[in-house]
Amino acid sequence: MKYFPAFLNLDSRRCLVIGGGEMALKKAHLLKSAGADLTIMAPDYEIDFVDALGLAADQVLKLSVDPDEAVSQGFVLVVSASGVAALDEAVAEAARRANIPVNVVDRTDLCTFIMPSIVDRGDVVIGISTSGASPVLARRIRAKIEAALPARLESLAAFTRSFRESVKAKLKWEQRRDFWERVIDGPIGQAVLNGNDAQAREDMLTAINQNAGMSGPRGRVSIVGTGPGDPDLLTLKALHVMQDADVILYDKLIGPKVLDYARRDAIRIFVGKSRACHFKTQDEINDLMISHAQAGRHVVRLKGGDPFIFGRGGEEVDILRRRHIDVAVVPGVTAASGCAASSEIPLTHRDHAKSVTFVTGHGRDGEPDLDWTALAAQEQTIVFYMGVSNAQTISRRLVEHGLSMSTPVAVVVNGTLDSQKTLTSTLANLPDDVAATEIDGPALMIVGDVVSARTASDLNIYPDSARRIA
Ligand SMILES: C[S@@+](CC[C@H](N)C(=O)[O-])C[C@H]1O[C@@H](n2cnc3c(N)ncnc32)[C@H](O)[C@@H]1O
């Protein structure tokens, strides 16, 4: 370790920034956000520092004295960002002589301390340093850390701070660590991260009063939408929840690479329908969720697309609530959005459609029982989920109710995955075209003039061996 990481308390401490340009302003901003009492000195100013930082006029001075005199005015820290090599070197030399920590921008050789790339979430601050080797690498690492952290981490830190004293008063020190781990990793922490502060406070008071640090953890279920298959379409929230899972239930709609993002040592249970594998009924899936949650585990039920769009998420929430199990739902990109984007079909292109309707193409007894008159209205797009096996009926019904035989249709198979195929056809040709195509994965049908607005397949971001039939 070349540099020792430490966090300085600069609140109301006098800090000097040398320089009158952008870089000096950036550094001054940073120090100001830590509460420093700033003085800026520069031979010349490109920027109005008084305005930009809300400083008093006597905090922004013309550097007319020599650097030794400048730094020896009671400063605890100096940053030189003048960009003028001779001046930066003289300031660094003067600060060293006076034993004041000094940082010179882009001159690690002159620094006695370096500034890390910072993740700032209130009380939670993370500094990333490459010891001056690559500030760009440090920024890339910061971006990854930012993405991995929950958005309301700051609230969680503030929440725990607000209860520190009461926990200290109530629990012995050997109980406290375990207690806090359960709070942060359990439903209370999750409630804070979900913005449900009132509930979290109520539960926290109960936990402290009942000395809940000694009782077993409370299990819960997260029903998580994972999107149509491309793992890059996972939401940050889905990622955070998957990383926190004790048990993961997944089915065959879950994109093959999505599971790579889940916590490695979580128990993984396949519950999906597949001809080759034994599959579980919905009742069995419910029982699994309930039993694992009742054993105090965080169960993450992964769903393709969005759990509340043809995903039976609502039924699962009902059943869990009836069993008094905490449940949270994380939305996902639904197949219609994913497939539309990846096959470049703008679902509500203004020249072609005023609305879009998502319908199931599969009824309880096979054939869909739909309001065909409403669906056949002009200037709308219809997206059929689970519809390919009923392509013939769907096409016939729509034509019977007034849609033209030449209405364009797209069938997107394995949407957003590398294996995506997009078949374009018309209502007249759809049954034959579907029969002639190998449908080897989930498929979505998009019906309406918007299909003709599909841009060239060679512009698609996903490889798409489209077989165009028009
Ligand atoms: C039970 S529904 C689940 C829908 C899911 N909850 C959603 O929001 O996308 C399954 C149907 O979604 C569609 N689907 C899901 N993923 C797909 C994909 N990657 N490509 C094409 N269609 C997909 C297919 O119509 C499939 O039969």
Side-chain angles (χ1 to χ4, degrees), residues 177-212:
R177 184 177 153 183
D178 185 46
F179 177 84
W180 278 121
E181 278 179 0
R182 287 179 188 183
V183 167
I184 290 167
D185 294 340
I188 297 179
Q190 199 55 49
V192 180
L193 293 177
N194 288 341
N196 195 350
D197 253 43
Q199 181 67 51
R201 289 202 165 268
E202 201 182 311
D203 290 353
M204 186 68 175
L205 288 173
T206 314
I208 295 172
N209 289 326
Q210 292 173 355
N211 202 353

PDB file of all heavy atoms in Angstrom, residues 177-212:
ATOM      1  N   ARG A 177     -23.523  -6.696  17.505  1.00  0.00           N
ATOM      2  CA  ARG A 177     -23.100  -6.890  16.118  1.00  0.00           C
ATOM      3  C   ARG A 177     -24.111  -7.764  15.370  1.00  0.00           C
ATOM      4  O   ARG A 177     -24.554  -7.435  14.257  1.00  0.00           O
ATOM      5  CB  ARG A 177     -21.723  -7.539  16.105  1.00  0.00           C
ATOM      6  CG  ARG A 177     -21.207  -7.668  14.719  1.00  0.00           C
ATOM      7  CD  ARG A 177     -19.848  -8.236  14.675  1.00  0.00           C
ATOM      8  NE  ARG A 177     -19.706  -8.908  13.393  1.00  0.00           N
ATOM      9  CZ  ARG A 177     -18.655  -9.567  13.049  1.00  0.00           C
ATOM     10  NH1 ARG A 177     -17.647  -9.684  13.866  1.00  0.00           N
ATOM     11  NH2 ARG A 177     -18.586 -10.135  11.881  1.00  0.00           N
ATOM     12  N   ASP A 178     -24.495  -8.851  16.029  1.00  0.00           N
ATOM     13  CA  ASP A 178     -25.455  -9.761  15.432  1.00  0.00           C
ATOM     14  C   ASP A 178     -26.780  -9.034  15.187  1.00  0.00           C
ATOM     15  O   ASP A 178     -27.405  -9.170  14.125  1.00  0.00           O
ATOM     16  CB  ASP A 178     -25.643 -10.931  16.413  1.00  0.00           C
ATOM     17  CG  ASP A 178     -26.530 -11.990  15.826  1.00  0.00           C
ATOM     18  OD1 ASP A 178     -26.306 -12.331  14.653  1.00  0.00           O
ATOM     19  OD2 ASP A 178     -27.451 -12.453  16.525  1.00  0.00           O
ATOM     20  N   PHE A 179     -27.179  -8.237  16.176  1.00  0.00           N
ATOM     21  CA  PHE A 179     -28.432  -7.486  16.067  1.00  0.00           C
ATOM     22  C   PHE A 179     -28.390  -6.562  14.842  1.00  0.00           C
ATOM     23  O   PHE A 179     -29.299  -6.548  14.012  1.00  0.00           O
ATOM     24  CB  PHE A 179     -28.654  -6.669  17.344  1.00  0.00           C
ATOM     25  CG  PHE A 179     -29.888  -5.801  17.296  1.00  0.00           C
ATOM     26  CD1 PHE A 179     -31.131  -6.321  17.603  1.00  0.00           C
ATOM     27  CD2 PHE A 179     -29.785  -4.468  16.934  1.00  0.00           C
ATOM     28  CE1 PHE A 179     -32.269  -5.519  17.547  1.00  0.00           C
ATOM     29  CE2 PHE A 179     -30.914  -3.657  16.873  1.00  0.00           C
ATOM     30  CZ  PHE A 179     -32.152  -4.181  17.190  1.00  0.00           C
ATOM     31  N   TRP A 180     -27.285  -5.799  14.736  1.00  0.00           N
ATOM     32  CA  TRP A 180     -27.197  -4.846  13.626  1.00  0.00           C
ATOM     33  C   TRP A 180     -27.159  -5.550  12.277  1.00  0.00           C
ATOM     34  O   TRP A 180     -27.719  -5.079  11.299  1.00  0.00           O
ATOM     35  CB  TRP A 180     -25.956  -3.948  13.795  1.00  0.00           C
ATOM     36  CG  TRP A 180     -26.197  -2.795  14.731  1.00  0.00           C
ATOM     37  CD1 TRP A 180     -25.535  -2.513  15.883  1.00  0.00           C
ATOM     38  CD2 TRP A 180     -27.182  -1.755  14.582  1.00  0.00           C
ATOM     39  NE1 TRP A 180     -26.031  -1.375  16.465  1.00  0.00           N
ATOM     40  CE2 TRP A 180     -27.042  -0.888  15.681  1.00  0.00           C
ATOM     41  CE3 TRP A 180     -28.163  -1.479  13.638  1.00  0.00           C
ATOM     42  CZ2 TRP A 180     -27.843   0.238  15.865  1.00  0.00           C
ATOM     43  CZ3 TRP A 180     -28.965  -0.358  13.808  1.00  0.00           C
ATOM     44  CH2 TRP A 180     -28.799   0.480  14.911  1.00  0.00           C
ATOM     45  N   GLU A 181     -26.475  -6.702  12.234  1.00  0.00           N
ATOM     46  CA  GLU A 181     -26.439  -7.437  10.954  1.00  0.00           C
ATOM     47  C   GLU A 181     -27.838  -7.838  10.533  1.00  0.00           C
ATOM     48  O   GLU A 181     -28.201  -7.741   9.370  1.00  0.00           O
ATOM     49  CB  GLU A 181     -25.552  -8.680  11.085  1.00  0.00           C
ATOM     50  CG  GLU A 181     -24.085  -8.312  10.915  1.00  0.00           C
ATOM     51  CD  GLU A 181     -23.138  -9.484  11.066  1.00  0.00           C
ATOM     52  OE1 GLU A 181     -23.606 -10.623  11.308  1.00  0.00           O
ATOM     53  OE2 GLU A 181     -21.938  -9.243  10.972  1.00  0.00           O
ATOM     54  N   ARG A 182     -28.636  -8.268  11.511  1.00  0.00           N
ATOM     55  CA  ARG A 182     -30.001  -8.678  11.186  1.00  0.00           C
ATOM     56  C   ARG A 182     -30.861  -7.495  10.765  1.00  0.00           C
ATOM     57  O   ARG A 182     -31.714  -7.604   9.905  1.00  0.00           O
ATOM     58  CB  ARG A 182     -30.630  -9.395  12.373  1.00  0.00           C
ATOM     59  CG  ARG A 182     -30.026 -10.763  12.523  1.00  0.00           C
ATOM     60  CD  ARG A 182     -30.603 -11.477  13.692  1.00  0.00           C
ATOM     61  NE  ARG A 182     -29.864 -12.698  13.906  1.00  0.00           N
ATOM     62  CZ  ARG A 182     -30.164 -13.574  14.816  1.00  0.00           C
ATOM     63  NH1 ARG A 182     -31.174 -13.359  15.621  1.00  0.00           N
ATOM     64  NH2 ARG A 182     -29.467 -14.659  14.959  1.00  0.00           N
ATOM     65  N   VAL A 183     -30.611  -6.366  11.418  1.00  0.00           N
ATOM     66  CA  VAL A 183     -31.375  -5.168  11.045  1.00  0.00           C
ATOM     67  C   VAL A 183     -31.032  -4.760   9.609  1.00  0.00           C
ATOM     68  O   VAL A 183     -31.899  -4.561   8.763  1.00  0.00           O
ATOM     69  CB  VAL A 183     -31.080  -4.009  12.019  1.00  0.00           C
ATOM     70  CG1 VAL A 183     -31.594  -2.683  11.473  1.00  0.00           C
ATOM     71  CG2 VAL A 183     -31.705  -4.296  13.378  1.00  0.00           C
ATOM     72  N   ILE A 184     -29.743  -4.679   9.335  1.00  0.00           N
ATOM     73  CA  ILE A 184     -29.309  -4.159   8.021  1.00  0.00           C
ATOM     74  C   ILE A 184     -29.663  -5.142   6.898  1.00  0.00           C
ATOM     75  O   ILE A 184     -30.134  -4.743   5.833  1.00  0.00           O
ATOM     76  CB  ILE A 184     -27.793  -3.850   8.050  1.00  0.00           C
ATOM     77  CG1 ILE A 184     -27.556  -2.621   8.940  1.00  0.00           C
ATOM     78  CG2 ILE A 184     -27.240  -3.599   6.648  1.00  0.00           C
ATOM     79  CD1 ILE A 184     -26.121  -2.366   9.325  1.00  0.00           C
ATOM     80  N   ASP A 185     -29.466  -6.440   7.151  1.00  0.00           N
ATOM     81  CA  ASP A 185     -29.721  -7.430   6.100  1.00  0.00           C
ATOM     82  C   ASP A 185     -31.179  -7.861   6.027  1.00  0.00           C
ATOM     83  O   ASP A 185     -31.585  -8.509   5.059  1.00  0.00           O
ATOM     84  CB  ASP A 185     -28.876  -8.702   6.327  1.00  0.00           C
ATOM     85  CG  ASP A 185     -27.399  -8.414   6.161  1.00  0.00           C
ATOM     86  OD1 ASP A 185     -27.089  -7.398   5.526  1.00  0.00           O
ATOM     87  OD2 ASP A 185     -26.578  -9.191   6.676  1.00  0.00           O
ATOM     88  N   GLY A 186     -31.957  -7.545   7.040  1.00  0.00           N
ATOM     89  CA  GLY A 186     -33.312  -8.082   7.123  1.00  0.00           C
ATOM     90  C   GLY A 186     -34.381  -7.111   6.657  1.00  0.00           C
ATOM     91  O   GLY A 186     -34.099  -6.103   6.012  1.00  0.00           O
ATOM     92  N   PRO A 187     -35.625  -7.412   7.011  1.00  0.00           N
ATOM     93  CA  PRO A 187     -36.761  -6.606   6.533  1.00  0.00           C
ATOM     94  C   PRO A 187     -36.697  -5.144   6.967  1.00  0.00           C
ATOM     95  O   PRO A 187     -37.195  -4.278   6.254  1.00  0.00           O
ATOM     96  CB  PRO A 187     -37.982  -7.288   7.163  1.00  0.00           C
ATOM     97  CG  PRO A 187     -37.519  -8.564   7.723  1.00  0.00           C
ATOM     98  CD  PRO A 187     -36.037  -8.555   7.832  1.00  0.00           C
ATOM     99  N   ILE A 188     -36.086  -4.880   8.134  1.00  0.00           N
ATOM    100  CA  ILE A 188     -36.040  -3.474   8.579  1.00  0.00           C
ATOM    101  C   ILE A 188     -35.155  -2.673   7.626  1.00  0.00           C
ATOM    102  O   ILE A 188     -35.550  -1.623   7.108  1.00  0.00           O
ATOM    103  CB  ILE A 188     -35.530  -3.367  10.041  1.00  0.00           C
ATOM    104  CG1 ILE A 188     -36.518  -4.079  10.978  1.00  0.00           C
ATOM    105  CG2 ILE A 188     -35.348  -1.911  10.444  1.00  0.00           C
ATOM    106  CD1 ILE A 188     -36.126  -4.076  12.452  1.00  0.00           C
ATOM    107  N   GLY A 189     -33.964  -3.207   7.359  1.00  0.00           N
ATOM    108  CA  GLY A 189     -33.059  -2.538   6.412  1.00  0.00           C
ATOM    109  C   GLY A 189     -33.716  -2.395   5.053  1.00  0.00           C
ATOM    110  O   GLY A 189     -33.638  -1.348   4.413  1.00  0.00           O
ATOM    111  N   GLN A 190     -34.403  -3.455   4.636  1.00  0.00           N
ATOM    112  CA  GLN A 190     -35.051  -3.421   3.321  1.00  0.00           C
ATOM    113  C   GLN A 190     -36.143  -2.354   3.284  1.00  0.00           C
ATOM    114  O   GLN A 190     -36.298  -1.634   2.295  1.00  0.00           O
ATOM    115  CB  GLN A 190     -35.633  -4.812   3.007  1.00  0.00           C
ATOM    116  CG  GLN A 190     -35.907  -5.047   1.541  1.00  0.00           C
ATOM    117  CD  GLN A 190     -34.680  -4.805   0.655  1.00  0.00           C
ATOM    118  OE1 GLN A 190     -33.600  -5.314   0.933  1.00  0.00           O
ATOM    119  NE2 GLN A 190     -34.827  -3.985  -0.383  1.00  0.00           N
ATOM    120  N   ALA A 191     -36.891  -2.236   4.404  1.00  0.00           N
ATOM    121  CA  ALA A 191     -37.959  -1.226   4.446  1.00  0.00           C
ATOM    122  C   ALA A 191     -37.354   0.177   4.295  1.00  0.00           C
ATOM    123  O   ALA A 191     -37.901   1.024   3.577  1.00  0.00           O
ATOM    124  CB  ALA A 191     -38.736  -1.345   5.752  1.00  0.00           C
ATOM    125  N   VAL A 192     -36.220   0.421   4.940  1.00  0.00           N
ATOM    126  CA  VAL A 192     -35.576   1.747   4.801  1.00  0.00           C
ATOM    127  C   VAL A 192     -35.156   1.949   3.348  1.00  0.00           C
ATOM    128  O   VAL A 192     -35.408   3.003   2.752  1.00  0.00           O
ATOM    129  CB  VAL A 192     -34.342   1.872   5.727  1.00  0.00           C
ATOM    130  CG1 VAL A 192     -33.703   3.244   5.564  1.00  0.00           C
ATOM    131  CG2 VAL A 192     -34.717   1.637   7.182  1.00  0.00           C
ATOM    132  N   LEU A 193     -34.547   0.926   2.763  1.00  0.00           N
ATOM    133  CA  LEU A 193     -34.080   1.061   1.375  1.00  0.00           C
ATOM    134  C   LEU A 193     -35.243   1.233   0.403  1.00  0.00           C
ATOM    135  O   LEU A 193     -35.104   1.819  -0.662  1.00  0.00           O
ATOM    136  CB  LEU A 193     -33.240  -0.156   0.973  1.00  0.00           C
ATOM    137  CG  LEU A 193     -31.901  -0.297   1.712  1.00  0.00           C
ATOM    138  CD1 LEU A 193     -31.180  -1.569   1.292  1.00  0.00           C
ATOM    139  CD2 LEU A 193     -30.992   0.908   1.462  1.00  0.00           C
ATOM    140  N   ASN A 194     -36.420   0.724   0.799  1.00  0.00           N
ATOM    141  CA  ASN A 194     -37.611   0.892  -0.052  1.00  0.00           C
ATOM    142  C   ASN A 194     -38.302   2.225   0.201  1.00  0.00           C
ATOM    143  O   ASN A 194     -39.358   2.502  -0.362  1.00  0.00           O
ATOM    144  CB  ASN A 194     -38.625  -0.228   0.206  1.00  0.00           C
ATOM    145  CG  ASN A 194     -38.151  -1.549  -0.370  1.00  0.00           C
ATOM    146  OD1 ASN A 194     -37.281  -1.571  -1.229  1.00  0.00           O
ATOM    147  ND2 ASN A 194     -38.716  -2.638   0.107  1.00  0.00           N
ATOM    148  N   GLY A 195     -37.771   3.013   1.130  1.00  0.00           N
ATOM    149  CA  GLY A 195     -38.380   4.311   1.421  1.00  0.00           C
ATOM    150  C   GLY A 195     -39.519   4.217   2.417  1.00  0.00           C
ATOM    151  O   GLY A 195     -40.263   5.175   2.620  1.00  0.00           O
ATOM    152  N   ASN A 196     -39.674   3.059   3.067  1.00  0.00           N
ATOM    153  CA  ASN A 196     -40.770   2.871   4.012  1.00  0.00           C
ATOM    154  C   ASN A 196     -40.251   3.100   5.447  1.00  0.00           C
ATOM    155  O   ASN A 196     -40.165   2.173   6.264  1.00  0.00           O
ATOM    156  CB  ASN A 196     -41.322   1.452   3.845  1.00  0.00           C
ATOM    157  CG  ASN A 196     -42.656   1.297   4.511  1.00  0.00           C
ATOM    158  OD1 ASN A 196     -43.084   2.187   5.245  1.00  0.00           O
ATOM    159  ND2 ASN A 196     -43.314   0.172   4.270  1.00  0.00           N
ATOM    160  N   ASP A 197     -39.912   4.348   5.716  1.00  0.00           N
ATOM    161  CA  ASP A 197     -39.265   4.689   6.980  1.00  0.00           C
ATOM    162  C   ASP A 197     -40.146   4.467   8.202  1.00  0.00           C
ATOM    163  O   ASP A 197     -39.687   4.001   9.246  1.00  0.00           O
ATOM    164  CB  ASP A 197     -38.842   6.162   6.943  1.00  0.00           C
ATOM    165  CG  ASP A 197     -37.352   6.274   6.793  1.00  0.00           C
ATOM    166  OD1 ASP A 197     -36.805   5.509   5.980  1.00  0.00           O
ATOM    167  OD2 ASP A 197     -36.745   7.115   7.508  1.00  0.00           O
ATOM    168  N   ALA A 198     -41.427   4.816   8.054  1.00  0.00           N
ATOM    169  CA  ALA A 198     -42.337   4.723   9.203  1.00  0.00           C
ATOM    170  C   ALA A 198     -42.408   3.271   9.683  1.00  0.00           C
ATOM    171  O   ALA A 198     -42.284   2.978  10.887  1.00  0.00           O
ATOM    172  CB  ALA A 198     -43.708   5.245   8.820  1.00  0.00           C
ATOM    173  N   GLN A 199     -42.597   2.355   8.710  1.00  0.00           N
ATOM    174  CA  GLN A 199     -42.681   0.929   9.057  1.00  0.00           C
ATOM    175  C   GLN A 199     -41.365   0.457   9.690  1.00  0.00           C
ATOM    176  O   GLN A 199     -41.352  -0.263  10.698  1.00  0.00           O
ATOM    177  CB  GLN A 199     -42.959   0.129   7.777  1.00  0.00           C
ATOM    178  CG  GLN A 199     -43.085  -1.366   7.991  1.00  0.00           C
ATOM    179  CD  GLN A 199     -44.328  -1.714   8.795  1.00  0.00           C
ATOM    180  OE1 GLN A 199     -45.416  -1.272   8.451  1.00  0.00           O
ATOM    181  NE2 GLN A 199     -44.171  -2.457   9.883  1.00  0.00           N
ATOM    182  N   ALA A 200     -40.253   0.908   9.110  1.00  0.00           N
ATOM    183  CA  ALA A 200     -38.945   0.489   9.608  1.00  0.00           C
ATOM    184  C   ALA A 200     -38.753   0.941  11.054  1.00  0.00           C
ATOM    185  O   ALA A 200     -38.257   0.191  11.897  1.00  0.00           O
ATOM    186  CB  ALA A 200     -37.844   1.057   8.711  1.00  0.00           C
ATOM    187  N   ARG A 201     -39.168   2.164  11.342  1.00  0.00           N
ATOM    188  CA  ARG A 201     -39.001   2.703  12.711  1.00  0.00           C
ATOM    189  C   ARG A 201     -39.845   1.908  13.709  1.00  0.00           C
ATOM    190  O   ARG A 201     -39.390   1.557  14.794  1.00  0.00           O
ATOM    191  CB  ARG A 201     -39.410   4.184  12.781  1.00  0.00           C
ATOM    192  CG  ARG A 201     -38.441   5.045  12.074  1.00  0.00           C
ATOM    193  CD  ARG A 201     -38.399   6.492  12.457  1.00  0.00           C
ATOM    194  NE  ARG A 201     -37.146   7.000  11.890  1.00  0.00           N
ATOM    195  CZ  ARG A 201     -35.991   7.046  12.516  1.00  0.00           C
ATOM    196  NH1 ARG A 201     -35.910   6.705  13.775  1.00  0.00           N
ATOM    197  NH2 ARG A 201     -34.892   7.458  11.925  1.00  0.00           N
ATOM    198  N   GLU A 202     -41.073   1.629  13.275  1.00  0.00           N
ATOM    199  CA  GLU A 202     -41.962   0.866  14.159  1.00  0.00           C
ATOM    200  C   GLU A 202     -41.356  -0.517  14.461  1.00  0.00           C
ATOM    201  O   GLU A 202     -41.258  -0.934  15.616  1.00  0.00           O
ATOM    202  CB  GLU A 202     -43.310   0.712  13.441  1.00  0.00           C
ATOM    203  CG  GLU A 202     -44.465   0.403  14.349  1.00  0.00           C
ATOM    204  CD  GLU A 202     -45.729   0.215  13.525  1.00  0.00           C
ATOM    205  OE1 GLU A 202     -46.020   1.067  12.657  1.00  0.00           O
ATOM    206  OE2 GLU A 202     -46.401  -0.813  13.758  1.00  0.00           O
ATOM    207  N   ASP A 203     -40.895  -1.187  13.392  1.00  0.00           N
ATOM    208  CA  ASP A 203     -40.320  -2.533  13.557  1.00  0.00           C
ATOM    209  C   ASP A 203     -39.034  -2.473  14.381  1.00  0.00           C
ATOM    210  O   ASP A 203     -38.732  -3.385  15.147  1.00  0.00           O
ATOM    211  CB  ASP A 203     -40.016  -3.166  12.196  1.00  0.00           C
ATOM    212  CG  ASP A 203     -41.293  -3.523  11.452  1.00  0.00           C
ATOM    213  OD1 ASP A 203     -42.382  -3.395  12.056  1.00  0.00           O
ATOM    214  OD2 ASP A 203     -41.209  -3.895  10.267  1.00  0.00           O
ATOM    215  N   MET A 204     -38.291  -1.390  14.197  1.00  0.00           N
ATOM    216  CA  MET A 204     -37.018  -1.264  14.919  1.00  0.00           C
ATOM    217  C   MET A 204     -37.287  -1.123  16.417  1.00  0.00           C
ATOM    218  O   MET A 204     -36.607  -1.759  17.242  1.00  0.00           O
ATOM    219  CB  MET A 204     -36.270  -0.036  14.382  1.00  0.00           C
ATOM    220  CG  MET A 204     -34.895   0.114  14.957  1.00  0.00           C
ATOM    221  SD  MET A 204     -33.796  -1.202  14.383  1.00  0.00           S
ATOM    222  CE  MET A 204     -32.268  -0.663  15.113  1.00  0.00           C
ATOM    223  N   LEU A 205     -38.278  -0.313  16.752  1.00  0.00           N
ATOM    224  CA  LEU A 205     -38.594  -0.136  18.181  1.00  0.00           C
ATOM    225  C   LEU A 205     -39.018  -1.462  18.790  1.00  0.00           C
ATOM    226  O   LEU A 205     -38.585  -1.849  19.875  1.00  0.00           O
ATOM    227  CB  LEU A 205     -39.701   0.912  18.346  1.00  0.00           C
ATOM    228  CG  LEU A 205     -39.244   2.354  18.065  1.00  0.00           C
ATOM    229  CD1 LEU A 205     -40.413   3.314  18.089  1.00  0.00           C
ATOM    230  CD2 LEU A 205     -38.173   2.781  19.076  1.00  0.00           C
ATOM    231  N   THR A 206     -39.863  -2.190  18.040  1.00  0.00           N
ATOM    232  CA  THR A 206     -40.280  -3.509  18.538  1.00  0.00           C
ATOM    233  C   THR A 206     -39.057  -4.410  18.717  1.00  0.00           C
ATOM    234  O   THR A 206     -38.909  -5.085  19.739  1.00  0.00           O
ATOM    235  CB  THR A 206     -41.247  -4.178  17.526  1.00  0.00           C
ATOM    236  OG1 THR A 206     -42.202  -3.212  17.143  1.00  0.00           O
ATOM    237  CG2 THR A 206     -41.907  -5.403  18.089  1.00  0.00           C
ATOM    238  N   ALA A 207     -38.187  -4.406  17.717  1.00  0.00           N
ATOM    239  CA  ALA A 207     -36.995  -5.275  17.780  1.00  0.00           C
ATOM    240  C   ALA A 207     -36.131  -4.934  18.982  1.00  0.00           C
ATOM    241  O   ALA A 207     -35.679  -5.824  19.709  1.00  0.00           O
ATOM    242  CB  ALA A 207     -36.193  -5.138  16.490  1.00  0.00           C
ATOM    243  N   ILE A 208     -35.930  -3.649  19.223  1.00  0.00           N
ATOM    244  CA  ILE A 208     -35.074  -3.256  20.353  1.00  0.00           C
ATOM    245  C   ILE A 208     -35.742  -3.656  21.666  1.00  0.00           C
ATOM    246  O   ILE A 208     -35.124  -4.261  22.543  1.00  0.00           O
ATOM    247  CB  ILE A 208     -34.810  -1.726  20.343  1.00  0.00           C
ATOM    248  CG1 ILE A 208     -33.996  -1.348  19.102  1.00  0.00           C
ATOM    249  CG2 ILE A 208     -34.074  -1.285  21.599  1.00  0.00           C
ATOM    250  CD1 ILE A 208     -33.845   0.143  18.890  1.00  0.00           C
ATOM    251  N   ASN A 209     -37.041  -3.384  21.763  1.00  0.00           N
ATOM    252  CA  ASN A 209     -37.729  -3.662  23.023  1.00  0.00           C
ATOM    253  C   ASN A 209     -37.856  -5.147  23.312  1.00  0.00           C
ATOM    254  O   ASN A 209     -37.823  -5.577  24.446  1.00  0.00           O
ATOM    255  CB  ASN A 209     -39.098  -2.985  23.040  1.00  0.00           C
ATOM    256  CG  ASN A 209     -38.921  -1.484  23.161  1.00  0.00           C
ATOM    257  OD1 ASN A 209     -37.973  -1.038  23.819  1.00  0.00           O
ATOM    258  ND2 ASN A 209     -39.752  -0.716  22.502  1.00  0.00           N
ATOM    259  N   GLN A 210     -37.995  -5.926  22.232  1.00  0.00           N
ATOM    260  CA  GLN A 210     -38.114  -7.377  22.466  1.00  0.00           C
ATOM    261  C   GLN A 210     -36.757  -8.043  22.401  1.00  0.00           C
ATOM    262  O   GLN A 210     -36.667  -9.266  22.317  1.00  0.00           O
ATOM    263  CB  GLN A 210     -39.014  -7.997  21.401  1.00  0.00           C
ATOM    264  CG  GLN A 210     -40.445  -7.548  21.527  1.00  0.00           C
ATOM    265  CD  GLN A 210     -41.260  -8.062  20.357  1.00  0.00           C
ATOM    266  OE1 GLN A 210     -40.745  -8.657  19.424  1.00  0.00           O
ATOM    267  NE2 GLN A 210     -42.555  -7.820  20.425  1.00  0.00           N
ATOM    268  N   ASN A 211     -35.727  -7.219  22.344  1.00  0.00           N
ATOM    269  CA  ASN A 211     -34.386  -7.757  22.244  1.00  0.00           C
ATOM    270  C   ASN A 211     -34.306  -8.739  21.090  1.00  0.00           C
ATOM    271  O   ASN A 211     -33.823  -9.861  21.204  1.00  0.00           O
ATOM    272  CB  ASN A 211     -34.009  -8.467  23.552  1.00  0.00           C
ATOM    273  CG  ASN A 211     -32.508  -8.562  23.684  1.00  0.00           C
ATOM    274  OD1 ASN A 211     -31.780  -8.222  22.759  1.00  0.00           O
ATOM    275  ND2 ASN A 211     -32.069  -9.008  24.835  1.00  0.00           N
ATOM    276  N   ALA A 212     -34.832  -8.265  19.915  1.00  0.00           N
ATOM    277  CA  ALA A 212     -34.964  -9.175  18.785  1.00  0.00           C
ATOM    278  C   ALA A 212     -33.629  -9.654  18.254  1.00  0.00           C
ATOM    279  O   ALA A 212     -33.566 -10.545  17.436  1.00  0.00           O
ATOM    280  CB  ALA A 212     -35.735  -8.496  17.664  1.00  0.00           C
TER     281      ALA A 212
END
